[in-house]
Amino acid sequence: MSIMGNERRVFLENEAETEHLGRELARTVVESGHGLVVYLDGELGMGKT
């Protein structure tokens, strides 16, 4: 993961890591009570949905 300002780049190796990140992002957004912008970038079929 690289951190530049508020930007974080995460490179995930498999589906399990992607699911874990999704759960953690959801929990963080709900707990914060604020909005969050998440930009997912990757090739077709990379699991962004």
Short mmCIF file of all heavy atoms in Angstrom, two decimals:
data_model
loop_
_atom_site.label_atom_id
_atom_site.label_comp_id
_atom_site.label_asym_id
_atom_site.label_seq_id
_atom_site.Cartn_x
_atom_site.Cartn_y
_atom_site.Cartn_z
N MET A 1 0.86 -1.17 0.00
CA MET A 1 0.00 0.00 0.00
C MET A 1 0.90 1.23 0.00
O MET A 1 1.87 1.29 0.73
CB MET A 1 -0.89 0.00 1.24
CG MET A 1 -1.76 1.22 1.32
SD MET A 1 -2.84 1.43 2.78
CE MET A 1 -3.09 -0.15 3.43
N SER A 2 0.57 2.20 -0.83
CA SER A 2 1.29 3.47 -0.81
C SER A 2 0.33 4.55 -0.34
O SER A 2 -0.86 4.50 -0.61
CB SER A 2 1.84 3.80 -2.19
OG SER A 2 0.79 4.07 -3.09
N ILE A 3 0.86 5.52 0.37
CA ILE A 3 0.04 6.60 0.90
C ILE A 3 0.61 7.93 0.44
O ILE A 3 1.78 8.22 0.68
CB ILE A 3 -0.02 6.56 2.44
CG1 ILE A 3 -0.59 5.23 2.90
CG2 ILE A 3 -0.81 7.73 2.99
CD1 ILE A 3 -0.55 5.01 4.38
N MET A 4 -0.20 8.71 -0.26
CA MET A 4 0.21 10.03 -0.73
C MET A 4 -0.93 10.97 -0.38
O MET A 4 -1.97 10.96 -1.04
CB MET A 4 0.47 10.00 -2.23
CG MET A 4 1.53 9.01 -2.63
SD MET A 4 1.76 8.96 -4.40
CE MET A 4 2.85 10.36 -4.60
N GLY A 5 -0.77 11.77 0.66
CA GLY A 5 -1.87 12.63 1.09
C GLY A 5 -2.99 11.76 1.60
O GLY A 5 -2.79 10.91 2.44
N ASN A 6 -4.18 11.95 1.05
CA ASN A 6 -5.33 11.13 1.44
C ASN A 6 -5.50 9.92 0.53
O ASN A 6 -6.44 9.17 0.67
CB ASN A 6 -6.61 11.96 1.43
CG ASN A 6 -6.64 12.95 2.57
OD1 ASN A 6 -6.07 12.70 3.62
ND2 ASN A 6 -7.29 14.07 2.36
N GLU A 7 -4.61 9.76 -0.42
CA GLU A 7 -4.72 8.67 -1.38
C GLU A 7 -4.07 7.42 -0.84
O GLU A 7 -3.01 7.45 -0.23
CB GLU A 7 -4.04 9.06 -2.69
CG GLU A 7 -4.03 7.97 -3.72
CD GLU A 7 -3.34 8.39 -4.98
OE1 GLU A 7 -3.54 9.53 -5.44
OE2 GLU A 7 -2.58 7.56 -5.50
N ARG A 8 -4.74 6.30 -1.06
CA ARG A 8 -4.18 5.01 -0.70
C ARG A 8 -4.32 4.07 -1.87
O ARG A 8 -5.40 3.96 -2.44
CB ARG A 8 -4.88 4.44 0.51
CG ARG A 8 -4.44 5.28 1.71
CD ARG A 8 -5.06 5.14 2.85
NE ARG A 8 -4.72 5.78 4.07
CZ ARG A 8 -4.76 7.05 4.34
NH1 ARG A 8 -5.03 7.92 3.40
NH2 ARG A 8 -4.53 7.50 5.54
N ARG A 9 -3.26 3.41 -2.20
CA ARG A 9 -3.29 2.42 -3.28
C ARG A 9 -3.07 1.06 -2.66
O ARG A 9 -2.09 0.85 -1.96
CB ARG A 9 -2.23 2.70 -4.31
CG ARG A 9 -2.51 3.98 -5.07
CD ARG A 9 -1.45 4.24 -6.08
NE ARG A 9 -1.71 5.51 -6.71
CZ ARG A 9 -1.65 5.71 -8.01
NH1 ARG A 9 -1.29 4.74 -8.80
NH2 ARG A 9 -1.90 6.90 -8.50
N VAL A 10 -4.00 0.18 -2.94
CA VAL A 10 -3.95 -1.16 -2.38
C VAL A 10 -3.98 -2.15 -3.53
O VAL A 10 -4.84 -2.06 -4.41
CB VAL A 10 -5.16 -1.40 -1.44
CG1 VAL A 10 -5.12 -2.79 -0.86
CG2 VAL A 10 -5.20 -0.35 -0.35
N PHE A 11 -3.06 -3.07 -3.53
CA PHE A 11 -3.00 -4.11 -4.55
C PHE A 11 -3.34 -5.43 -3.86
O PHE A 11 -2.61 -5.88 -2.97
CB PHE A 11 -1.62 -4.15 -5.19
CG PHE A 11 -1.27 -2.87 -5.88
CD1 PHE A 11 -0.61 -1.86 -5.20
CD2 PHE A 11 -1.67 -2.66 -7.19
CE1 PHE A 11 -0.32 -0.66 -5.83
CE2 PHE A 11 -1.38 -1.45 -7.82
CZ PHE A 11 -0.70 -0.46 -7.14
N LEU A 12 -4.45 -6.00 -4.25
CA LEU A 12 -4.94 -7.21 -3.61
C LEU A 12 -4.61 -8.43 -4.46
O LEU A 12 -4.67 -8.39 -5.68
CB LEU A 12 -6.45 -7.09 -3.39
CG LEU A 12 -6.87 -5.85 -2.59
CD1 LEU A 12 -8.37 -5.67 -2.64
CD2 LEU A 12 -6.36 -5.93 -1.18
N GLU A 13 -4.28 -9.51 -3.79
CA GLU A 13 -3.83 -10.72 -4.46
C GLU A 13 -4.95 -11.69 -4.83
O GLU A 13 -4.79 -12.48 -5.75
CB GLU A 13 -2.82 -11.45 -3.57
CG GLU A 13 -1.54 -10.68 -3.33
CD GLU A 13 -0.72 -10.49 -4.59
OE1 GLU A 13 -0.70 -11.41 -5.43
OE2 GLU A 13 -0.12 -9.42 -4.73
N ASN A 14 -6.06 -11.64 -4.09
CA ASN A 14 -7.10 -12.64 -4.36
C ASN A 14 -8.47 -12.15 -3.91
O ASN A 14 -8.61 -11.07 -3.34
CB ASN A 14 -6.75 -13.97 -3.66
CG ASN A 14 -6.52 -13.79 -2.18
OD1 ASN A 14 -7.32 -13.16 -1.49
ND2 ASN A 14 -5.42 -14.33 -1.68
N GLU A 15 -9.47 -12.96 -4.17
CA GLU A 15 -10.86 -12.60 -3.86
C GLU A 15 -11.07 -12.42 -2.36
O GLU A 15 -11.80 -11.51 -1.93
CB GLU A 15 -11.78 -13.70 -4.38
CG GLU A 15 -13.24 -13.41 -4.20
CD GLU A 15 -14.13 -14.48 -4.77
OE1 GLU A 15 -13.67 -15.30 -5.59
OE2 GLU A 15 -15.33 -14.51 -4.39
N ALA A 16 -10.45 -13.24 -1.55
CA ALA A 16 -10.62 -13.13 -0.10
C ALA A 16 -10.13 -11.78 0.42
O ALA A 16 -10.78 -11.16 1.26
CB ALA A 16 -9.89 -14.27 0.61
N GLU A 17 -9.00 -11.30 -0.10
CA GLU A 17 -8.49 -9.99 0.31
C GLU A 17 -9.43 -8.88 -0.13
O GLU A 17 -9.64 -7.92 0.60
CB GLU A 17 -7.10 -9.75 -0.29
CG GLU A 17 -6.01 -10.57 0.35
CD GLU A 17 -4.63 -10.24 -0.21
OE1 GLU A 17 -4.51 -9.29 -1.02
OE2 GLU A 17 -3.68 -10.92 0.18
N THR A 18 -10.01 -9.03 -1.31
CA THR A 18 -10.96 -8.03 -1.82
C THR A 18 -12.20 -7.97 -0.94
O THR A 18 -12.67 -6.89 -0.58
CB THR A 18 -11.35 -8.35 -3.27
OG1 THR A 18 -10.17 -8.43 -4.06
CG2 THR A 18 -12.27 -7.29 -3.85
N GLU A 19 -12.73 -9.12 -0.56
CA GLU A 19 -13.90 -9.16 0.31
C GLU A 19 -13.59 -8.56 1.68
O GLU A 19 -14.41 -7.83 2.24
CB GLU A 19 -14.40 -10.59 0.46
CG GLU A 19 -15.05 -11.12 -0.79
CD GLU A 19 -15.52 -12.55 -0.65
OE1 GLU A 19 -15.47 -13.12 0.47
OE2 GLU A 19 -15.97 -13.11 -1.67
N HIS A 20 -12.43 -8.86 2.21
CA HIS A 20 -12.04 -8.31 3.51
C HIS A 20 -11.95 -6.79 3.44
O HIS A 20 -12.45 -6.09 4.32
CB HIS A 20 -10.70 -8.90 3.95
CG HIS A 20 -10.21 -8.36 5.25
ND1 HIS A 20 -10.78 -8.71 6.46
CD2 HIS A 20 -9.24 -7.47 5.54
CE1 HIS A 20 -10.16 -8.06 7.42
NE2 HIS A 20 -9.22 -7.30 6.89
N LEU A 21 -11.33 -6.26 2.39
CA LEU A 21 -11.23 -4.81 2.23
C LEU A 21 -12.61 -4.18 2.13
O LEU A 21 -12.87 -3.15 2.74
CB LEU A 21 -10.40 -4.46 0.99
CG LEU A 21 -10.31 -2.97 0.68
CD1 LEU A 21 -9.62 -2.20 1.81
CD2 LEU A 21 -9.59 -2.74 -0.63
N GLY A 22 -13.52 -4.81 1.39
CA GLY A 22 -14.88 -4.28 1.26
C GLY A 22 -15.59 -4.20 2.60
O GLY A 22 -16.24 -3.20 2.91
N ARG A 23 -15.45 -5.24 3.42
CA ARG A 23 -16.07 -5.23 4.75
C ARG A 23 -15.48 -4.13 5.62
O ARG A 23 -16.19 -3.42 6.33
CB ARG A 23 -15.89 -6.59 5.43
CG ARG A 23 -16.84 -7.66 4.91
CD ARG A 23 -16.82 -8.91 5.78
NE ARG A 23 -15.50 -9.54 5.82
CZ ARG A 23 -15.05 -10.42 4.92
NH1 ARG A 23 -15.84 -10.76 3.92
NH2 ARG A 23 -13.86 -10.96 5.04
N GLU A 24 -14.16 -3.97 5.58
CA GLU A 24 -13.50 -2.95 6.39
C GLU A 24 -13.88 -1.54 5.93
O GLU A 24 -14.10 -0.65 6.76
CB GLU A 24 -11.99 -3.12 6.36
CG GLU A 24 -11.51 -4.35 7.10
CD GLU A 24 -11.88 -4.31 8.57
OE1 GLU A 24 -11.62 -3.29 9.24
OE2 GLU A 24 -12.45 -5.30 9.06
N LEU A 25 -13.96 -1.31 4.62
CA LEU A 25 -14.38 0.00 4.12
C LEU A 25 -15.80 0.32 4.57
O LEU A 25 -16.09 1.43 5.01
CB LEU A 25 -14.30 0.05 2.59
CG LEU A 25 -12.93 0.24 1.99
CD1 LEU A 25 -13.01 0.08 0.47
CD2 LEU A 25 -12.36 1.60 2.35
N ALA A 26 -16.70 -0.66 4.45
CA ALA A 26 -18.10 -0.44 4.86
C ALA A 26 -18.18 -0.11 6.34
O ALA A 26 -18.88 0.82 6.74
CB ALA A 26 -18.93 -1.68 4.55
N ARG A 27 -17.46 -0.85 7.16
CA ARG A 27 -17.47 -0.60 8.61
C ARG A 27 -16.94 0.79 8.92
O ARG A 27 -17.51 1.54 9.72
CB ARG A 27 -16.62 -1.65 9.33
CG ARG A 27 -16.62 -1.51 10.84
CD ARG A 27 -15.70 -2.53 11.50
NE ARG A 27 -14.34 -2.46 11.03
CZ ARG A 27 -13.43 -1.54 11.41
NH1 ARG A 27 -13.78 -0.59 12.26
NH2 ARG A 27 -12.21 -1.57 10.95
N THR A 28 -15.87 1.19 8.26
CA THR A 28 -15.26 2.49 8.49
C THR A 28 -16.21 3.63 8.12
O THR A 28 -16.34 4.60 8.86
CB THR A 28 -13.96 2.63 7.67
OG1 THR A 28 -13.06 1.60 8.09
CG2 THR A 28 -13.31 3.98 7.86
N VAL A 29 -16.89 3.50 6.99
CA VAL A 29 -17.83 4.54 6.55
C VAL A 29 -18.98 4.66 7.55
O VAL A 29 -19.34 5.76 7.96
CB VAL A 29 -18.37 4.24 5.14
CG1 VAL A 29 -19.51 5.18 4.78
CG2 VAL A 29 -17.24 4.37 4.12
N VAL A 30 -19.54 3.55 7.95
CA VAL A 30 -20.68 3.58 8.88
C VAL A 30 -20.26 4.18 10.22
O VAL A 30 -20.95 5.03 10.78
CB VAL A 30 -21.26 2.16 9.07
CG1 VAL A 30 -22.26 2.13 10.20
CG2 VAL A 30 -21.91 1.69 7.78
N GLU A 31 -19.12 3.77 10.73
CA GLU A 31 -18.67 4.26 12.03
C GLU A 31 -18.31 5.75 12.00
O GLU A 31 -18.46 6.44 12.99
CB GLU A 31 -17.47 3.45 12.52
CG GLU A 31 -17.83 2.05 12.96
CD GLU A 31 -16.63 1.23 13.39
OE1 GLU A 31 -15.49 1.74 13.32
OE2 GLU A 31 -16.83 0.08 13.81
N SER A 32 -17.81 6.23 10.87
CA SER A 32 -17.37 7.62 10.80
C SER A 32 -18.55 8.59 10.77
O SER A 32 -18.43 9.72 11.24
CB SER A 32 -16.51 7.86 9.56
OG SER A 32 -17.30 7.88 8.39
N GLY A 33 -19.67 8.18 10.20
CA GLY A 33 -20.81 9.06 10.08
C GLY A 33 -20.61 10.12 9.00
O GLY A 33 -21.41 11.02 8.86
N HIS A 34 -19.54 10.02 8.25
CA HIS A 34 -19.23 10.96 7.17
C HIS A 34 -19.17 10.21 5.84
O HIS A 34 -19.12 8.99 5.80
CB HIS A 34 -17.87 11.62 7.41
CG HIS A 34 -17.80 12.39 8.69
ND1 HIS A 34 -18.50 13.54 8.92
CD2 HIS A 34 -17.12 12.15 9.83
CE1 HIS A 34 -18.25 13.99 10.13
NE2 HIS A 34 -17.40 13.15 10.71
N GLY A 35 -19.11 10.99 4.79
CA GLY A 35 -18.99 10.40 3.47
C GLY A 35 -17.57 9.95 3.19
O GLY A 35 -16.63 10.34 3.87
N LEU A 36 -17.42 9.12 2.21
CA LEU A 36 -16.13 8.61 1.81
C LEU A 36 -16.16 8.39 0.31
O LEU A 36 -17.12 7.82 -0.22
CB LEU A 36 -15.82 7.30 2.53
CG LEU A 36 -14.54 6.59 2.16
CD1 LEU A 36 -13.33 7.40 2.65
CD2 LEU A 36 -14.51 5.20 2.76
N VAL A 37 -15.14 8.85 -0.39
CA VAL A 37 -15.04 8.62 -1.82
C VAL A 37 -14.05 7.49 -2.03
O VAL A 37 -12.91 7.55 -1.56
CB VAL A 37 -14.56 9.88 -2.57
CG1 VAL A 37 -14.34 9.57 -4.04
CG2 VAL A 37 -15.56 11.00 -2.40
N VAL A 38 -14.50 6.46 -2.73
CA VAL A 38 -13.64 5.32 -3.03
C VAL A 38 -13.61 5.18 -4.54
O VAL A 38 -14.66 5.04 -5.18
CB VAL A 38 -14.17 4.02 -2.39
CG1 VAL A 38 -13.29 2.84 -2.78
CG2 VAL A 38 -14.25 4.17 -0.88
N TYR A 39 -12.43 5.23 -5.11
CA TYR A 39 -12.25 5.08 -6.55
C TYR A 39 -11.56 3.75 -6.79
O TYR A 39 -10.44 3.54 -6.30
CB TYR A 39 -11.42 6.24 -7.10
CG TYR A 39 -11.03 6.08 -8.55
CD1 TYR A 39 -11.97 6.29 -9.56
CD2 TYR A 39 -9.74 5.72 -8.91
CE1 TYR A 39 -11.63 6.15 -10.88
CE2 TYR A 39 -9.39 5.58 -10.24
CZ TYR A 39 -10.34 5.80 -11.22
OH TYR A 39 -9.99 5.65 -12.53
N LEU A 40 -12.24 2.87 -7.49
CA LEU A 40 -11.68 1.56 -7.80
C LEU A 40 -11.23 1.55 -9.25
O LEU A 40 -12.00 1.88 -10.15
CB LEU A 40 -12.70 0.46 -7.55
CG LEU A 40 -13.28 0.40 -6.14
CD1 LEU A 40 -14.39 -0.64 -6.09
CD2 LEU A 40 -12.20 0.10 -5.13
N ASP A 41 -10.01 1.14 -9.47
CA ASP A 41 -9.45 1.13 -10.81
C ASP A 41 -8.87 -0.25 -11.09
O ASP A 41 -8.20 -0.82 -10.23
CB ASP A 41 -8.36 2.20 -10.91
CG ASP A 41 -7.78 2.32 -12.31
OD1 ASP A 41 -8.52 2.08 -13.29
OD2 ASP A 41 -6.60 2.65 -12.42
N GLY A 42 -9.15 -0.77 -12.25
CA GLY A 42 -8.58 -2.06 -12.60
C GLY A 42 -9.19 -2.55 -13.91
O GLY A 42 -10.19 -2.03 -14.40
N GLU A 43 -8.59 -3.57 -14.44
CA GLU A 43 -9.06 -4.15 -15.69
C GLU A 43 -10.41 -4.82 -15.49
O GLU A 43 -10.82 -5.15 -14.37
CB GLU A 43 -8.05 -5.19 -16.18
CG GLU A 43 -6.67 -4.65 -16.48
CD GLU A 43 -6.67 -3.68 -17.66
OE1 GLU A 43 -7.43 -3.91 -18.62
OE2 GLU A 43 -5.91 -2.70 -17.59
N LEU A 44 -11.10 -5.07 -16.60
CA LEU A 44 -12.36 -5.78 -16.58
C LEU A 44 -12.15 -7.16 -15.94
O LEU A 44 -11.16 -7.84 -16.24
CB LEU A 44 -12.86 -5.96 -18.01
CG LEU A 44 -14.21 -6.64 -18.20
CD1 LEU A 44 -15.31 -5.80 -17.56
CD2 LEU A 44 -14.50 -6.83 -19.67
N GLY A 45 -13.03 -7.51 -15.00
CA GLY A 45 -12.93 -8.81 -14.36
C GLY A 45 -12.01 -8.85 -13.15
O GLY A 45 -11.69 -9.91 -12.63
N MET A 46 -11.58 -7.68 -12.67
CA MET A 46 -10.63 -7.62 -11.55
C MET A 46 -11.32 -7.63 -10.19
O MET A 46 -10.65 -7.64 -9.17
CB MET A 46 -9.75 -6.37 -11.65
CG MET A 46 -8.89 -6.31 -12.89
SD MET A 46 -7.61 -7.55 -12.92
CE MET A 46 -6.54 -6.95 -11.65
N GLY A 47 -12.66 -7.59 -10.14
CA GLY A 47 -13.36 -7.66 -8.86
C GLY A 47 -13.73 -6.33 -8.26
O GLY A 47 -13.88 -6.22 -7.06
N LYS A 48 -13.89 -5.29 -9.08
CA LYS A 48 -14.20 -3.96 -8.56
C LYS A 48 -15.64 -3.86 -8.04
O LYS A 48 -15.91 -3.07 -7.17
CB LYS A 48 -13.96 -2.91 -9.64
CG LYS A 48 -12.53 -2.82 -10.10
CD LYS A 48 -12.34 -1.84 -11.22
CE LYS A 48 -13.09 -2.18 -12.48
NZ LYS A 48 -12.69 -3.43 -13.15
N THR A 49 -16.54 -4.66 -8.57
CA THR A 49 -17.94 -4.60 -8.17
C THR A 49 -18.09 -4.99 -6.73
O THR A 49 -18.79 -4.39 -5.98
CB THR A 49 -18.81 -5.52 -9.05
OG1 THR A 49 -18.63 -5.15 -10.39
CG2 THR A 49 -20.27 -5.38 -8.69
#
